Amino acid sequence: MTTMERKAGFATPTVTRRGVACGLVAVGAGLVASMPAGALAALPIPRPPYRSLTIDHLAIGERATARFWNRGAYDPVEIAKLCRLFRDRRTDEVYPIDLALFELIHDVMALLGVDDARPVELISGYRSPATNHALRGTNSGVARRSYHMRGQAADFRIAGVPTIAVARAAKRLDRGGYAFYRGSDFAHIDTGPPRTWGRTI
Ligand SMILES: [Zn+2]
């Protein structure tokens, strides 16, 4: 998915009331799904006809599986499920998460040869400005203009997989930001410009 395609569907992501935000994602998904075949073909890994993610949001204590790609199209109902799981853990705000982020997590798993039924343990998905501000007060590693606030970032690990391998897979894919947090045992990835910080991996 190119930046232009993403912008076509996500030009006006706004924070909305709980539970309705992912309507925007459905619009974006329709646009992306209608792009010419081959738009997603530049990826270095196989892309199966069904793609799902099982997200275990640790801080919220909720887990669900969503088959977000089904026979050549995004499924807005399943994507809404993922957006809900990615909600702000403090305020419960749901935000339209960038589809490219779900694809990136899925591709990290594919690159590692991990079945997509394996739980993705989410530490932090969407962060409201208030939550990001609060975290900045206690953690110097939190960016002021974090991609978490734009629905474009995830802090996570994959059950049973060394987290440094997850971060290295994101590095190989080279489709956004990545970082390895050894102390807290999670990888950060985002769909912003390719870059990294902190420890070299
Ligand atoms: Zn992060």
Side-chain angles (χ1 to χ4, degrees):
M1 196 183 303
T2 67
T3 305
M4 264 188 71
E5 287 160 37
R6 238 180 11 243
K7 281 192 173 152
F10 293 90
T12 54
T14 49
V15 179
T16 59
R17 281 174 304 155
R18 189 184 311 178
V20 299
C22 285
L24 285 171
V25 172
V27 173
L31 287 170
V32 171
S34 67
M35 293 303 290
L40 296 168
L43 295 163
I45 54 164
R47 319 206 89 224
Y50 302 104
R51 297 200 286 278
S52 65
L53 287 173
T54 294
I55 303 292
D56 189 355
H57 194 148
L58 300 180
I60 292 175
E62 256 178 48
R63 179 195 282 197
T65 299
R67 184 181 277 187
F68 64 94
W69 177 264
N70 197 349
R71 292 193 186 199
Y74 285 108
D75 182 330
V77 173
E78 296 293 286
I79 288 168
K81 246 159 88 174
L82 289 178
C83 290
R84 183 158 174 74
L85 280 163
F86 268 68
R87 71 188 183 272
D88 184 298
R89 67 182 185 223
R90 284 171 74 246
T91 65
D92 262 359
E93 281 172 78
V94 178
Y95 193 84
I97 303 297
D98 189 354
L99 292 180
L101 183 64
F102 300 139
E103 296 285 6
L104 186 54
I105 295 171
H106 197 273
D107 285 348
V108 162
M109 297 176 84
L111 195 59
L112 291 167
V114 174
D115 190 278
D116 66 9
R118 186 80 67 97
V120 171
E121 297 177 349
L122 185 67
I123 286 99
S124 187
Y126 170 66
R127 281 185 209 148
S128 65
T131 294
N132 202 66
H133 184 75
L135 285 174
R136 273 173 58 77
T138 56
N139 185 341
S140 60
V142 175
R144 188 166 63 86
R145 296 165 65 86
S146 165
Y147 280 93
H148 286 279
M149 291 164 58
R150 299 161 67 163
Q152 288 182 258
D155 295 339
F156 70 107
R157 62 180 84 98
I158 298 169
V161 178
T163 305
I164 193 166
V166 173
R168 282 181 177 148
K171 178 182 183 181
R172 272 185 69 197
L173 288 171
D174 194 28
R175 297 217 304 264
Y178 68 89
F180 172 50
Y181 290 83
R182 183 208 285 271
S184 308
D185 189 30
F186 68 79
H188 164 105
I189 63 169
D190 64 59
T191 57
R195 70 209 188 286
T196 190
W197 56 89
R199 174 189 159 79
T200 305
I201 57 168

